[in-house]
Amino acid sequence: MIAGMLIAALAILALAYVAAPLRFGAAEESQVEGRPVEEARSRKRAALSALLELDEDAEMGKISTADLVKLRATYEMEAVMALIQLDDAEADPADDDELEVEIKALRKRMQCPSCGAVRSPGEPCPRCGA
């Protein structure tokens, strides 16, 4: 009798384990859709934190001026790229008016075709030199 109840309990647990993805599948889909936004927010926070730490290190004299300039440019580019990715991930194409379309086109022209870094139009990429 106890063995039968134990087997029944284990069978119910196994069934619940197997059926869980079917019940929570919709929740996982919404998490997949939100990942680019969360990833962009995380990259933005990391770049901004790195900039703050870089400023603190410069004030304390822990970093040379040449390294400060190079690292600051790198982290600023990373923050801008994260903001662009965040804008693209959160953008609703139905909300685009003419100005927004023009801004997006300008951003695309400022993006390096090789590495995706932000660069001034017509100038070489500061990250990869392309």
Side-chain angles (χ1 to χ4, degrees):
M1 174 130 169
I2 293 177
M5 289 175 44
L6 183 60
I7 291 173
L10 289 174
I12 290 171
L13 286 174
L15 181 62
Y17 178 77
V18 171
L22 298 174
R23 282 193 343 206
F24 301 113
E28 288 180 17
E29 286 176 16
S30 66
Q31 289 177 355
V32 170
E33 291 173 4
R35 284 185 185 152
V37 173
E38 288 304 315
E39 179 183 323
R41 286 182 183 152
S42 175
R43 286 180 51 213
K44 179 186 81 169
R45 279 191 296 265
L48 294 176
S49 294
L51 284 168
L52 290 173
E53 288 181 29
L54 191 61
D55 288 340
E56 289 174 4
D57 288 347
E59 287 177 10
M60 296 170 79
K62 291 183 175 181
I63 189 167
S64 70
T65 305
D67 288 341
L68 174 66
V69 170
K70 185 190 298 184
L71 289 172
R72 176 167 273 294
T74 301
Y75 291 132
E76 285 174 350
M77 275 193 293
E78 183 64 30
V80 169
M81 291 301 298
L83 288 172
I84 290 170
Q85 182 183 3
L86 190 59
D87 285 347
D88 289 344
E90 291 179 336
D92 184 7
D95 291 342
D96 287 347
D97 60 1
E98 288 182 36
L99 181 59
E100 290 296 324
V101 170
E102 190 175 333
I103 291 170
K104 284 183 182 180
L106 181 60
R107 283 184 177 167
K108 288 280 187 201
R109 285 197 323 253
M110 291 178 68
Q111 203 168 13
C112 175
S114 298
C115 69
V118 177
R119 62 183 171 95
S120 296
E123 292 186 17
C125 177
R127 184 185 289 170
C128 70

